[in-house]
Amino acid sequence: MIFDLKTALKYIILFLIGIGVLYLAFRGQDLGKIWQEIKTANYFWVITSAFAVWIAHVLRALRWQMLYKSIHYKVSFWNAYHAVMIGYLANLALPRFGEIGRCSVIHKAEKVPMFASIGTVITERLFDVLMLFLTSLAMLVFQYDIVADFLYQTIYLNLVKKLSTINYLWLVGLGIIILLLIAVAIYFLRQKFSKKFLRIFVSLRQGFGSYSKLKEKGLFLTYTIGIWLFYSLSMYFAFSSIQATSGLHFNAAFTAIVFSGFAMAAPVQGGIGVFHWMVAQSLVLYGISFKDGLAYSTIIHSSQVLLILILGCLSLMLILFKKQKGN
């Protein structure tokens, strides 16, 4: 990836937005009491929560390895695992850069074409989006009485208010112009780099077709469900880390993981700010004060970031060491 001033400014702005949301979330809160709750947290449950997240990362690596196997690339589990952890590490600095980063690791370690890897990553991300949709639907069906008021007052009414201010004629016109520019750019690029475009298309198509070629689709879906189950368990285990949330049941963790899923989809480094606000809001629905929800979300977010920093850096060092040893 080539970094220029425009790219740097983009990521700085996204980071500042995250910091701004974090400031708004903590504004007016008793920071002393929040810090006291964090200091007195039961770190056995924090570590247990982090371990559950790590299991989800392992399952993600196993699932990704299956996609490579289906398109006849022998990617070792450890290279897939290290690539996943390095990808999460990269996402802490630049949102969504981790997806390209982990494909680059596999390209260098296993000689898999970059765009074939990108196709497999997009495929597995589509299954993550599907799981987020299904868990959101389950939350609405089984906990409608709890989340309905929040969705109507906080989400729906604000969304309607924002949409009412949009000039749709300008929006449609802008959309048409963008599509035309993309079509013209693709046409000229294909004329100039037709062979390269063909190779890219073939590689992407190979990656996209990885799921359809799987022989063990049931195992792939089991890994997918397992990833989300362990994410939910990490939320549930962390409830016991502070007194305020220790009485919450698994249904609250299920709602929190849905809210956090949408938060992590925001293009902000590590979901900073957005994650804290969304998770805290989800716990308010179960009678937890927003202040205590912020203490909880700070603990779980910090533990996950620390896990990625430690294991991501370790994976990066091991990959670099293997590369130097191979040379």
Side-chain angles (χ1 to χ4, degrees):
M1 179 178 274
I2 298 172
F3 292 97
D4 53 20
L5 181 59
K6 186 178 178 181
T7 303
L9 285 173
K10 173 187 170 183
Y11 289 119
I12 289 169
I13 289 168
L14 289 171
F15 178 73
L16 291 176
I17 289 171
I19 294 295
V21 176
L22 191 66
Y23 167 75
L24 291 173
F26 281 88
R27 186 181 63 178
Q29 303 297 324
D30 190 333
L31 297 181
K33 288 185 177 179
I34 291 175
W35 177 239
Q36 187 61 34
E37 281 197 80
I38 294 170
K39 282 200 305 181
T40 58
N42 185 330
Y43 284 94
F44 168 80
W45 289 109
V46 176
I47 293 169
T48 304
S49 170
F51 180 74
V53 171
W54 178 74
I55 294 294
H57 296 336
V58 170
L59 293 176
R60 186 175 294 280
L62 287 167
R63 185 181 69 170
W64 194 26
Q65 186 190 25
M66 287 186 70
L67 292 178
Y68 279 120
K69 185 179 178 181
S70 73
I71 53 175
H72 310 295
Y73 288 111
K74 292 183 179 180
V75 173
S76 72
F77 163 73
W78 284 111
N79 279 335
Y81 167 76
H82 292 319
V84 167
M85 297 311 299
I86 292 168
Y88 280 124
L89 183 66
N91 277 336
L92 293 180
L94 304 172
R96 301 295 168 262
F97 182 65
E99 314 303 348
I100 302 298
R102 63 169 163 142
C103 292
S104 180
V105 171
I106 295 297
H107 173 65
K108 291 174 182 177
E110 303 277 8
K111 309 304 179 189
V112 178
M114 271 292 291
F115 284 94
S117 281
I118 291 170
T120 62
V121 168
I122 293 172
T123 299
E124 67 158 357
R125 284 304 184 192
L126 287 173
F127 276 90
D128 288 334
V129 171
L130 177 62
M131 282 300 298
L132 180 58
F133 171 76
L134 291 175
T135 51
S136 301
L137 188 62
M139 180 188 72
L140 286 173
V141 171
F142 296 108
Q143 301 192 74
Y144 180 79
D145 55 328
I146 294 174
V147 300
D149 189 59
F150 170 80
L151 293 176
Y152 180 76
Q153 297 291 339
T154 308
I155 305 296
Y156 176 75
L157 291 181
N158 283 325
L159 187 62
V160 168
K161 187 178 178 181
K162 294 291 182 184
L163 290 175
S164 65
T165 62
I166 295 174
N167 188 321
Y168 289 99
L169 188 61
W170 279 100
L171 190 65
V172 170
L174 181 63
I176 292 170
I177 291 169
I178 291 171
L179 288 173
L180 286 172
L181 288 173
I182 291 171
V184 170
I186 290 173
Y187 174 78
F188 282 109
L189 286 170
R190 285 187 66 181
Q191 293 298 313
K192 194 172 182 180
F193 307 106
S194 56
K195 289 184 179 179
K196 191 172 182 179
F197 252 83
L198 183 61
R199 287 198 299 271
I200 290 171
F201 174 76
V202 170
S203 293
L204 277 173
R205 186 178 178 184
Q206 186 182 28
F208 287 143
S210 55
Y211 176 75
S212 63
K213 295 175 182 177
L214 275 174
K215 293 181 180 178
E216 298 176 293
K217 289 184 174 65
L219 181 60
F220 181 89
L221 295 174
T222 300
Y223 284 149
T224 301
I225 294 168
I227 290 166
W228 283 78
L229 174 61
F230 276 98
Y231 281 155
S232 300
L233 285 172
S234 74
M235 288 281 187
Y236 178 67
F237 292 147
F239 285 158
S240 298
S241 64
I242 59 175
Q243 185 64 37
T245 57
S246 60
L248 292 175
H249 299 292
F250 188 78
N251 58 338
F254 187 81
T255 301
I257 204 65
V258 172
F259 276 54
S260 69
F262 285 105
M264 296 307 288
V268 177
Q269 290 90 327
I272 187 170
V274 186
F275 178 93
H276 296 75
W277 188 85
M278 288 290 282
V279 172
Q281 284 288 354
S282 72
L283 298 187
V284 168
L285 303 177
Y286 296 89
I288 305 299
S289 69
F290 191 72
K291 171 185 70 68
D292 291 329
L294 283 174
Y296 168 84
S297 61
T298 301
I299 289 169
I300 195 164
H301 186 268
S302 300
S303 68
Q304 291 180 14
V305 168
L306 185 61
L307 180 77
I308 290 167
L309 284 172
I310 294 170
L311 297 183
C313 287
L314 180 62
S315 289
L316 183 60
M317 286 189 293
L318 288 171
I319 286 291
L320 291 174
F321 176 74
K322 281 176 69 177
K323 185 180 178 183
Q324 288 179 349
K325 193 176 179 182
N327 293 336

